[in-house]
């Protein structure tokens, strides 16, 4: 949720607490039926549950929008559409640019009719910051779909998985198969 939405929610919660205090201060609890107070508390509990439920669903929708299908010469994202890569352009860097430009609209792009691409990876981004430094998620190798997804915690680890770029020695490995060795996945199919 946006910062302004959290501020509004906080103001409403404080107002709710103030009105509850006012209810007792003005002795309305002696005049009205106590069931009214219970209904009001239940109502605010339902509103709070709805706010958290909506936030959970929105976060899942944003993760689905950040999912990309990567081929050696192209990538596809449901919002950005089909993106052709220039000669020598890094799929990871192109994906980073696509993720920076996402608006999280409700419009979805389809693959163009005449375009064909051999997708090699599905990159599911769970967390992405503007500069790509906080970029977390997992990569599914399509021709090995029965194997476990390969997690990554930053752009360097994603580069290692998708493009086979070696990791710096001080970066933890993405491999869960060995001790200290990085997983290198071939780009071609």
């Amino acid at each position: 949720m946006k910062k302004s939405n959290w501020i509004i929610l906080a103001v409403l919660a404080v107002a709710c607490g103030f009105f509850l205090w006012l209810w007792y201060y003005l002795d309305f609890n002696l005049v009205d039926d106590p069931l009214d107070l219970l209904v009001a508390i239940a109502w605010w509990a339902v509103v709070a549950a709805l706010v958290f439920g909506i936030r959970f669903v929105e976060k899942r929708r944003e993760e689905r929008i950040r999912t990309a299908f990567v081929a050696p010469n192209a990538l596809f994202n449901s919002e950005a559409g089909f993106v052709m890569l220039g000669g020598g352009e890094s799929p990871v860097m192109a994906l980073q640019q696509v993720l920076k430009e996402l608006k999280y609209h409700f419009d979805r792009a389809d693959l163009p009719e005449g375009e064909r691409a051999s997708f090699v990876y599905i990159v599911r981004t769970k967390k992405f910051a503007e500069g790509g430094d906080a970029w977390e998620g997992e990569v599914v190798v399509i021709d090995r779909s029965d194997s476990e997804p390969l997690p990554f915690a930053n752009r360097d680890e994603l580069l290692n998985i998708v493009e086979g770029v070696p990791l710096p020695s001080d970066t933890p490995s993405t491999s869960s198969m060995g001790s200290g060795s990085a997983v290198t996945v071939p780009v071609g199919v």
Side-chain angles (χ1 to χ4, degrees):
M1 281 187 349
K2 293 181 179 178
K3 191 175 188 178
S4 61
N5 292 347
W6 285 111
I7 292 171
I8 290 170
L9 184 62
V11 168
L12 289 175
V14 169
C16 182
F18 172 73
F19 290 134
L20 184 60
W21 170 81
L22 194 61
W23 176 277
Y24 282 105
Y25 182 76
L26 297 175
D27 290 330
F28 285 148
N29 60 325
L30 302 176
V31 176
D32 282 340
D33 188 5
L35 182 61
D36 295 341
L37 179 61
L38 294 177
V39 169
I41 292 171
W43 170 252
W44 279 104
V46 167
V47 168
L50 285 174
V51 166
F52 289 112
I54 290 169
R55 177 62 190 137
F56 176 77
V57 169
E58 178 63 17
K59 188 175 179 181
R60 295 282 308 255
R61 185 184 77 83
E62 288 175 359
E63 285 181 17
R64 280 194 307 272
I65 289 174
R66 286 191 297 261
T67 298
F69 298 86
V70 179
N73 60 349
L75 62 93
F76 177 77
N77 174 274
S78 65
E79 185 177 306
F82 195 73
V83 178
M84 292 298 294
L85 304 179
E89 187 178 2
S90 165
V92 172
M93 297 315 222
L95 177 57
Q96 181 178 347
Q97 188 61 35
V98 166
L99 292 178
K100 279 183 188 178
E101 295 173 1
L102 288 179
K103 303 290 186 225
Y104 299 102
H105 294 295
F106 289 96
D107 300 328
R108 300 184 81 184
D110 292 325
L111 277 172
E113 290 294 321
E115 296 292 336
R116 287 249 186 229
S118 299
F119 294 111
V120 182
Y121 305 103
I122 301 172
V123 179
R124 297 182 186 134
T125 301
K126 293 182 179 159
K127 189 186 297 184
F128 180 77
E130 184 73 23
D133 297 328
W135 191 356
E136 297 176 13
E138 62 187 16
V139 176
V140 175
V141 182
I142 292 177
D143 62 349
R144 297 188 212 163
S145 59
D146 57 337
S147 65
E148 291 292 317
L150 304 169
F152 64 91
N154 55 41
R155 181 181 50 225
D156 291 337
E157 290 181 8
L158 181 59
L159 276 166
N160 179 46
I161 294 170
V162 174
E163 299 178 26
V165 176
L167 291 172
S169 60
D170 59 344
T171 305
S173 170
T174 59
S175 173
S176 60
M177 295 181 243
S179 59
S181 66
V183 175
T184 302
V185 181
V187 175
V189 281

